[in-house]
Amino acid sequence: MNERECLGGEALPPVLLYWRTKTAESFDARARAEVADFVAGISATMPDCRAAIRGDAAAAVGLVVGRRIPEHIGVRVDLSMTVLLACAFFDPAAALVLSHTVARMPIELRKRARISASWSMHRIWLGSRRAGARAPKAPPPLKGGAS
């Protein structure tokens, strides 16, 4: 299957493809809110998945670290990487794992390198913002969207 793969006969929401198509710096407030709203709408029964969906970056990292890199990207990979993406906006560890995981995914080489490097730089930027001051571990609640 490719980027146009279907879920239950319907096309995948574009937000599921953002982690593998957009660089870190291309996310404005609206795109970040779109990711956060989508992730907030995911339903899960496993406690670690529910924690990741609520914004627990360590839990989101746990959804991805140690998993085998797939030959083809499917819905399960897109879902876990989108949850990780939502945390990578504000957590340096999540941004680092996103960068390293994207670098190994079956994505066209140039695109993969560009996206991976952007998240690596974003991790550095997040770390520099936290130097000397404790920043919150979760983003502020969205106005009018998911909290």
Side-chain angles (χ1 to χ4, degrees), residues 8-106:
E10 296 183 27
L12 292 178
V15 69
L16 276 177
L17 307 179
Y18 288 175
W19 71 269
R20 56 178 157 136
T21 58
K22 296 174 70 104
T23 59
E25 64 274 4
S26 69
F27 284 94
D28 58 12
R30 189 172 109 312
R32 288 177 186 225
E34 183 181 2
V35 171
D37 288 345
F38 179 83
V39 169
I42 296 172
S43 176
T45 57
M46 296 176 58
D48 56 338
C49 292
R50 286 196 314 258
I53 290 165
R54 287 191 309 269
D56 182 328
V61 165
L63 295 178
V64 174
V65 169
R67 306 277 190 230
R68 184 179 59 81
I69 298 299
E71 290 182 31
H72 304 286
I73 298 170
V75 176
R76 293 181 79 190
V77 172
D78 281 332
L79 280 169
S80 60
M81 292 297 287
T82 300
V83 171
L84 180 64
L85 171 66
C87 293
F89 293 137
F90 64 89
D91 185 85
L96 177 65
V97 170
L98 182 62
S99 172
H100 283 268
T101 305
V102 166
R104 299 170 39 224
M105 284 289 181

Side-chain angles (χ1 to χ4, degrees), residues 89-144:
F89 293 137
F90 64 89
D91 185 85
L96 177 65
V97 170
L98 182 62
S99 172
H100 283 268
T101 305
V102 166
R104 299 170 39 224
M105 284 289 181
I107 301 170
E108 187 270 320
L109 182 60
R110 280 185 165 164
K111 181 189 292 189
R112 181 175 67 201
R114 188 177 72 251
I115 293 168
S116 175
S118 76
W119 286 104
S120 183
M121 292 304 298
H122 182 74
R123 179 196 61 84
I124 293 167
W125 178 78
L126 285 172
S128 71
R129 292 197 60 195
R130 289 189 176 190
R134 293 301 308 167
K137 281 298 219 178
L142 299 172
K143 293 182 180 178

